[in-house]
């Protein structure tokens, strides 16, 4: 696959942003390429387009599949797997948020709950430290609860809520 200058710029930037988001450059570039590709690509096509090692492409595909951001397609007469990315940015964003919640927030909540439970018996823990742990737990539980509520809202309403932005404060009389 031949990348246009704009496509190349997008893929390179997507790779840079990936590193800032805690994802390897290769994973992000493979995602960016598949996102822009008008057709599913084989691993070999990804290797030749991005000029990265086959092992990097294989690992990147596995990582992207674990996030449910890409799908595998089969083509009649071709035994190779072909890959495409979720093309809807909203759906991709929601998958990433859900994945991050499962990988980062949920384990943190478990640990914070254990810390709060153990804190009364920890004679070396100051009241201030115990309070901060409890406040952090309360904040993350509130944030998680809000996320779960918003996730259940139909997408058109989610978009309306998002477009409201700071107007919500005015509606609530706090602006």
């Amino acid at each position: 696959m031949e990348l246009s200058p704009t496509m190349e710029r997008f893929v390179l930037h997507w790779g840079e942003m990936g590193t800032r988001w805690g994802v390897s450059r290769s994973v992000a570039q493979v995602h960016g390429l598949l996102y822009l590709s008008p057709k599913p690509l084989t691993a070999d096509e990804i290797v030749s387009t991005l000029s990265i090692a086959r092992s990097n492409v294989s690992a990147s595909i596995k990582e992207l599949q674990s996030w449910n951001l890409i799908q595998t397609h089969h083509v009649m007469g071709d035994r190779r797997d072909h890959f495409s990315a979720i093309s809807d940015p909203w759906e991709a964003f929601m998958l990433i948020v859900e994945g991050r919640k499962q990988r980062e927030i949920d384990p943190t909540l478990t640990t914070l709950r254990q810390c709060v439970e153990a804190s009364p018996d920890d004679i070396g823990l100051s009241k201030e430290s115990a309070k901060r742990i409890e406040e952090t737990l309360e904040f993350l539980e509130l944030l998680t609860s809000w996320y779960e509520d918003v996730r259940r809202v139909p997408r058109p309403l989610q978009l309306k809520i998002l477009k409201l932005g700071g107007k919500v404060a005015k509606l609530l009389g706090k602006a």
Side-chain angles (χ1 to χ4, degrees), residues 40-111:
L41 301 175
T42 65
D44 291 334
E45 290 171 314
I46 297 168
V47 166
S48 66
T49 302
L50 296 179
S51 299
I52 58 177
R54 174 81 155 117
S55 59
N56 262 354
V57 169
S58 294
S60 296
I61 287 169
K62 285 180 182 155
E63 177 75 13
L64 292 166
Q65 286 173 324
S66 77
W67 286 84
N68 296 315
L69 290 172
I70 64 171
Q71 297 114 6
T72 305
H73 305 275
H74 299 101
V75 176
M76 189 68 77
D78 189 346
R79 62 182 178 79
R80 299 173 299 173
D81 289 335
H82 295 70
F83 304 96
S84 67
I86 301 291
S87 61
D88 179 351
W90 185 267
E91 184 180 350
F93 176 77
M94 294 304 284
L95 286 168
I96 291 167
V97 168
E98 182 60 31
R100 290 215 164 231
K101 179 188 169 299
Q102 290 172 0
R103 289 170 173 86
E104 299 166 23
I105 302 297
D106 292 348
T108 301
L109 284 169
T110 299
T111 299

Side-chain angles (χ1 to χ4, degrees), residues 1 12 21 35 37 45 47 51 59 83 97 140 142-144 168-169:
M1 178 177 177
L12 289 173
W21 297 328
Y35 179 74
S37 179
E45 290 171 314
V47 166
S51 299
F83 304 96
V97 168
L140 283 179
L142 179 63
L143 188 62
T144 301
V168 170

Side-chain angles (χ1 to χ4, degrees), residues 111-132:
T111 299
L112 288 169
R113 288 182 185 118
Q114 292 167 345
C115 289
V116 167
E117 186 177 310
S119 66
D121 299 329
D122 185 348
I123 58 172
L125 183 68
S126 71
K127 289 185 190 281
E128 184 61 30
S129 295
K131 180 181 176 194
R132 288 181 185 175

